[in-house]
Amino acid sequence: MAAAQGRLSDGAGGMDDAKEGDRNAVETAPLPFRTAVDALRTARLRPEIEIDPTRPPQRLAPHAYALEAAVVADDEDLADGRLVLLHDPAGHDAWQGSFRLVTLIRAELEPEMAADPLLPDVCWSWLTGALQARGLSYGEPSGTVTRASSHYFGGLGERPAASQIEIRASWTPREGRGGVPDTAAHLAAWCDLLCQVAGLPPAGPGDGSIVTLPQRRGPQSR
């Protein structure tokens, strides 16, 4: 897998506005949410991960914070994604808790990989496996794994066919002391998944059993 098609953000100006608006919203939010966001902001991640705050969704929960990340190697984007932390102090029946994590991850892959009938099951197992590998407790997982192929015609006919994998998922991180989940660990697990989708080798000696899809040859420039 490699070379996700463009970043998920809407541009530099939108990012600046998102940072300022996010800062104001977090400062007035309940303490558990502020604590959870602080943990996301200070988490230490793999050097291949480039991450920034981005504009969160406005209607999914009373409080929301979003991050956008890309896996970058040799100045090439190999995969990108967005992670959103939602918080409803009153709790949410569907979540079975007051916090929810929502993600979108995408990357390109070789067309022959896209034809593998087991690919969606494998990608979903990577998500649950990343959480379990870090000993995280979570509930109510749900999501989709989508494969899409593009074929070019006419003036674009010289372009090779392209395929993309997209993972959309959400889960409830179990709350710990003070009603706050370990969001830094959940972010680290999410980054593990992002790197796995990008085809990077495991980061640590204890992750040797992780299987990644091979990186696509000739990734596109950023």
Side-chain angles (χ1 to χ4, degrees):
M1 288 188 180
Q5 289 284 352
R7 295 296 182 89
L8 296 168
S9 62
D10 298 325
M15 181 66 73
D16 290 340
D17 293 343
K19 288 180 179 179
E20 184 63 29
D22 163 72
R23 187 178 302 111
N24 295 334
V26 171
E27 288 176 353
T28 60
L31 179 59
F33 182 70
R34 299 201 310 269
T35 303
V37 169
D38 285 343
L40 292 176
R41 288 172 169 169
T42 57
R44 298 183 63 183
L45 307 174
R46 286 183 61 165
E48 299 92 343
I49 298 286
E50 292 186 0
I51 193 164
D52 277 299
T54 189
R55 189 181 303 278
Q58 302 299 310
R59 299 184 181 89
L60 297 181
H63 307 282
Y65 181 78
L67 292 168
E68 181 180 83
V71 180
V72 180
D74 297 325
D75 204 34
E76 306 289 349
D77 283 6
L78 304 181
D80 57 31
R82 178 180 292 147
L83 183 68
V84 180
L85 175 67
L86 304 175
H87 178 53
D88 187 340
H92 195 293
D93 290 341
W95 304 349
Q96 294 296 301
S98 64
F99 284 90
R100 187 76 171 171
L101 285 163
V102 182
T103 185
L104 162 65
I105 288 176
R106 64 184 188 178
E108 286 189 21
L109 66 160
E110 296 286 1
E112 56 269 24
M113 295 180 192
D116 187 343
L118 296 179
L119 182 64
D121 300 273
V122 169
C123 288
W124 183 257
S125 72
W126 286 350
L127 169 62
T128 57
L131 295 170
Q132 292 165 5
R134 291 187 176 269
L136 294 170
S137 179
Y138 66 95
E140 310 304 319
S142 63
T144 62
V145 177
T146 304
R147 292 175 290 190
S149 298
S150 299
H151 299 264
Y152 300 94
F153 302 94
L156 301 177
E158 294 184 357
R159 293 187 181 183
S163 298
Q164 188 178 74
I165 193 77
E166 183 179 274
I167 303 172
R168 294 178 180 267
S170 63
W171 66 95
T172 299
R174 295 307 185 200
E175 298 165 15
R177 180 178 300 178
V180 182
D182 188 352
T183 50
H186 280 271
L187 174 59
W190 180 74
C191 288
D192 292 342
L193 171 64
L194 192 62
C195 290
Q196 200 166 3
V197 170
L200 293 189
D207 299 330
S209 63
I210 294 177
V211 177
T212 61
L213 291 187
Q215 180 179 325
R216 182 174 178 170
R217 294 186 300 275
Q220 298 180 6
S221 298
R222 296 170 63 189

